[in-house]
Amino acid sequence: MTFTLPVLSLPGFDLAAFVASTLAEDLGPGGCDVTSEAVIPADAVFDGVMDSRDDVTLAGLPVAVAFFRALDPDVAIELLAQDGDRVAAGTDIMRIRGKARAMLTAERSALNSVQHLTGIATMTRAYVDAIDGTGATLLDTRKTIPGLRVLEKYATRMGGATNHRMGLWDAAMIKDNHVAVAGSVEEAVRRAVAAGVASIIVEVDRVDQIEPALRAGATHLLLDNMDAATLRGAVALVDGRVPTEASGGVTLETIRAKAQTGVTYISVGRLTQSAPAADIGLDFAYA
């Protein structure tokens, strides 16, 4: 089965500019791939197959397509899978046929993107599977590589997570340092309410902070670094007044027990912070 070539359009992300700057970084001030220019005849054509060497959930294929097209607008690309698909080890996911120099020059940038984003999607899918049936929703965080947030959060969506806080602008997140400067949880929340902030997420790491935060006007509680028993008590105390979110040190081994406490959400920073690159390769053969 083949798929229509995707067009990646993400608010806040300029794919063409990303491709251009990445290739400029690789090609240097002379704009040259010295190896391909020296070794590959100008008229050579390569057929190539991109495949996965592990079981993965795919993300980033449209980015790879953009890299190949940037250097050879006439490249023929056949997409054999699409972002969000789970594929088994050994699955072919893309075939390309284009100018050999261009394909070899674009290869590393295309693979780096797919490997990184697929790694994120694959880890995300494992966490989503781990809480299946609990009613909790998996969230990502702002723990992203600078400049890649939109792409990395796209990858978590491909893995089944829900995006949470794209930046500092779309919700207040009152954390321990904000509380320390403001003087108390209640005072920090009160100031956010007075400033007219509609969405006020408050991090609490003790149960005795819950009522002051709610009393002052918190709209969402982040229950930080609490074990499952403490989370269960905190959720009972909140009693549905606002959404609750478990966060901090969540692993595949602990996430299901935390999800079963009744929290609305569980956020996991390691999805974008620590996901290993997927093992995806691109093999060429003379046409």
Side-chain angles (χ1 to χ4, degrees):
M1 182 177 181
T2 59
F3 298 89
T4 302
L5 291 184
V7 176
L8 188 66
S9 178
L10 301 173
F13 181 72
D14 187 332
L15 179 57
F18 173 72
V19 168
S21 64
T22 301
L23 290 174
E25 177 183 64
D26 224 11
L27 293 170
C32 179
D33 172 1
V34 295
T35 309
S36 294
E37 293 288 331
V39 173
I40 305 300
D43 60 352
V45 174
F46 267 171
D47 286 326
V49 177
M50 184 182 291
D51 71 323
S52 177
R53 283 80 186 269
D54 291 321
D55 298 344
V56 298
T57 297
L58 294 170
L61 296 180
V63 182
V65 169
F67 275 111
F68 293 127
R69 282 182 162 171
L71 295 182
D72 181 1
D74 297 322
V75 60
I77 299 176
E78 184 181 10
L79 206 61
L80 306 175
Q82 56 188 342
D83 282 5
D85 285 353
R86 298 193 198 202
V87 301
T91 300
D92 292 346
I93 57 181
M94 183 188 300
R95 295 193 186 101
I96 63 173
R97 177 179 170 83
K99 297 174 181 176
R101 285 182 178 178
M103 297 301 96
L104 289 171
T105 299
E107 175 186 9
R108 188 69 267 157
S109 295
L111 280 178
N112 284 349
S113 300
V114 174
Q115 289 170 340
H116 178 58
L117 297 178
T118 294
I120 291 172
T122 301
M123 177 179 279
T124 301
R125 177 55 62 187
Y127 277 79
V128 169
D129 289 347
I131 61 173
D132 184 46
T134 65
T137 297
L138 183 68
L139 302 179
D140 55 21
T141 73
R142 286 174 47 244
K143 294 178 181 178
T144 56
I145 294 175
L148 294 183
R149 177 168 299 163
V150 173
L151 272 184
E152 291 180 340
K153 281 181 169 280
Y154 164 78
T156 67
R157 289 202 307 278
M158 294 302 98
T162 296
N163 290 156
H164 184 47
R165 291 190 78 220
M166 294 302 294
L168 295 170
W169 53 270
D170 53 356
M173 170 76 88
I174 297 172
K175 298 177 71 67
D176 53 356
N177 283 334
H178 300 100
V179 170
V181 174
S184 69
V185 166
E186 192 164 9
E187 178 60 17
V189 178
R190 186 195 66 75
R191 293 178 186 181
V193 171
V197 180
S199 178
I200 304 173
I201 304 165
V202 182
E203 176 187 275
V204 297
D205 52 20
R206 303 192 317 271
V207 172
D208 64 1
Q209 295 173 313
I210 291 175
E211 286 300 341
L214 292 176
R215 186 166 57 243
T219 64
H220 179 129
L221 290 183
L222 189 157
L223 308 172
D224 190 45
N225 283 306
M226 295 183 181
D227 59 26
T230 306
L231 279 173
R232 193 177 300 279
V235 169
L237 181 60
V238 174
D239 194 26
R241 286 176 283 175
V242 298
T244 54
E245 174 187 343
S247 186
V250 180
T251 68
L252 272 177
E253 291 70 36
T254 64
I255 191 171
R256 188 165 185 87
K258 293 189 176 190
Q260 290 172 329
T261 64
V263 291
T264 317
Y265 304 108
I266 300 185
S267 57
V268 180
R270 69 183 63 231
L271 302 179
T272 49
Q273 189 182 50
S274 305
D279 190 359
I280 291 174
L282 183 60
D283 296 316
F284 288 92
Y286 280 110

mmCIF file of all heavy atoms in Angstrom, residues 6 13 15 58 119 208 219 232 254 265 278-279:
data_model
loop_
_atom_site.group_PDB
_atom_site.id
_atom_site.type_symbol
_atom_site.label_atom_id
_atom_site.label_comp_id
_atom_site.label_asym_id
_atom_site.label_seq_id
_atom_site.Cartn_x
_atom_site.Cartn_y
_atom_site.Cartn_z
ATOM 1 N N PRO A 6 2.717 13.553 2.031
ATOM 2 C CA PRO A 6 2.126 14.495 2.981
ATOM 3 C C PRO A 6 2.698 15.899 2.834
ATOM 4 O O PRO A 6 3.827 16.099 2.383
ATOM 5 C CB PRO A 6 2.520 13.906 4.332
ATOM 6 C CG PRO A 6 3.830 13.233 4.050
ATOM 7 C CD PRO A 6 3.727 12.687 2.645
ATOM 8 N N PHE A 13 5.791 26.673 12.877
ATOM 9 C CA PHE A 13 6.963 25.965 12.364
ATOM 10 C C PHE A 13 7.076 26.176 10.864
ATOM 11 O O PHE A 13 6.133 25.907 10.114
ATOM 12 C CB PHE A 13 6.886 24.472 12.668
ATOM 13 C CG PHE A 13 8.080 23.692 12.176
ATOM 14 C CD1 PHE A 13 9.299 23.803 12.802
ATOM 15 C CD2 PHE A 13 7.971 22.866 11.065
ATOM 16 C CE1 PHE A 13 10.404 23.101 12.352
ATOM 17 C CE2 PHE A 13 9.065 22.147 10.601
ATOM 18 C CZ PHE A 13 10.292 22.274 11.247
ATOM 19 N N LEU A 15 8.772 24.785 7.840
ATOM 20 C CA LEU A 15 9.513 23.610 7.388
ATOM 21 C C LEU A 15 10.590 23.982 6.378
ATOM 22 O O LEU A 15 11.716 23.486 6.452
ATOM 23 C CB LEU A 15 8.556 22.576 6.788
ATOM 24 C CG LEU A 15 9.189 21.295 6.236
ATOM 25 C CD1 LEU A 15 9.993 20.574 7.302
ATOM 26 C CD2 LEU A 15 8.114 20.376 5.662
ATOM 27 N N LEU A 58 5.908 5.670 13.775
ATOM 28 C CA LEU A 58 6.590 6.601 12.885
ATOM 29 C C LEU A 58 6.209 8.057 13.127
ATOM 30 O O LEU A 58 5.060 8.381 13.435
ATOM 31 C CB LEU A 58 6.279 6.247 11.431
ATOM 32 C CG LEU A 58 6.829 4.915 10.931
ATOM 33 C CD1 LEU A 58 6.238 4.573 9.573
ATOM 34 C CD2 LEU A 58 8.355 4.967 10.849
ATOM 35 N N GLY A 119 11.693 8.198 17.381
ATOM 36 C CA GLY A 119 12.046 7.791 18.737
ATOM 37 C C GLY A 119 11.090 8.373 19.768
ATOM 38 O O GLY A 119 10.657 7.678 20.701
ATOM 39 N N ASP A 208 -1.122 19.779 51.713
ATOM 40 C CA ASP A 208 -1.643 20.958 52.415
ATOM 41 C C ASP A 208 -1.623 22.223 51.557
ATOM 42 O O ASP A 208 -2.136 23.269 51.978
ATOM 43 C CB ASP A 208 -0.896 21.192 53.726
ATOM 44 C CG ASP A 208 0.584 21.521 53.536
ATOM 45 O OD1 ASP A 208 1.051 21.583 52.389
ATOM 46 O OD2 ASP A 208 1.277 21.705 54.559
ATOM 47 N N THR A 219 -6.992 26.791 38.411
ATOM 48 C CA THR A 219 -7.905 26.098 37.500
ATOM 49 C C THR A 219 -7.426 24.696 37.142
ATOM 50 O O THR A 219 -8.125 23.962 36.434
ATOM 51 C CB THR A 219 -8.087 26.899 36.208
ATOM 52 O OG1 THR A 219 -6.826 26.987 35.514
ATOM 53 C CG2 THR A 219 -8.601 28.309 36.490
ATOM 54 N N ARG A 232 -3.649 9.421 45.260
ATOM 55 C CA ARG A 232 -5.036 9.002 45.460
ATOM 56 C C ARG A 232 -5.726 9.898 46.502
ATOM 57 O O ARG A 232 -6.865 10.332 46.329
ATOM 58 C CB ARG A 232 -5.094 7.536 45.888
ATOM 59 C CG ARG A 232 -6.489 6.927 45.816
ATOM 60 C CD ARG A 232 -6.448 5.449 46.180
ATOM 61 N NE ARG A 232 -5.601 4.688 45.281
ATOM 62 C CZ ARG A 232 -5.972 4.250 44.083
ATOM 63 N NH1 ARG A 232 -7.196 4.518 43.642
ATOM 64 N NH2 ARG A 232 -5.137 3.551 43.336
ATOM 65 N N THR A 254 6.006 2.961 36.689
ATOM 66 C CA THR A 254 5.147 3.586 37.701
ATOM 67 C C THR A 254 3.897 4.240 37.131
ATOM 68 O O THR A 254 2.980 4.563 37.883
ATOM 69 C CB THR A 254 5.929 4.657 38.489
ATOM 70 O OG1 THR A 254 6.327 5.718 37.596
ATOM 71 C CG2 THR A 254 7.157 4.057 39.160
ATOM 72 N N TYR A 265 -4.792 13.773 34.217
ATOM 73 C CA TYR A 265 -3.668 13.751 33.286
ATOM 74 C C TYR A 265 -2.413 13.220 33.966
ATOM 75 O O TYR A 265 -2.280 13.281 35.195
ATOM 76 C CB TYR A 265 -3.341 15.176 32.790
ATOM 77 C CG TYR A 265 -4.479 15.912 32.149
ATOM 78 C CD1 TYR A 265 -5.089 16.978 32.813
ATOM 79 C CD2 TYR A 265 -4.932 15.564 30.882
ATOM 80 C CE1 TYR A 265 -6.128 17.686 32.219
ATOM 81 C CE2 TYR A 265 -5.967 16.261 30.285
ATOM 82 C CZ TYR A 265 -6.563 17.313 30.958
ATOM 83 O OH TYR A 265 -7.593 17.998 30.369
ATOM 84 N N ALA A 278 15.290 6.312 16.952
ATOM 85 C CA ALA A 278 14.889 5.035 16.375
ATOM 86 C C ALA A 278 15.939 4.560 15.373
ATOM 87 O O ALA A 278 16.616 5.367 14.738
ATOM 88 C CB ALA A 278 13.527 5.173 15.697
ATOM 89 N N ASP A 279 16.033 3.262 15.226
ATOM 90 C CA ASP A 279 16.984 2.682 14.274
ATOM 91 C C ASP A 279 16.314 2.577 12.914
ATOM 92 O O ASP A 279 15.634 1.593 12.613
ATOM 93 C CB ASP A 279 17.452 1.307 14.770
ATOM 94 C CG ASP A 279 18.612 0.746 13.964
ATOM 95 O OD1 ASP A 279 19.040 1.421 13.007
ATOM 96 O OD2 ASP A 279 19.079 -0.359 14.279
#
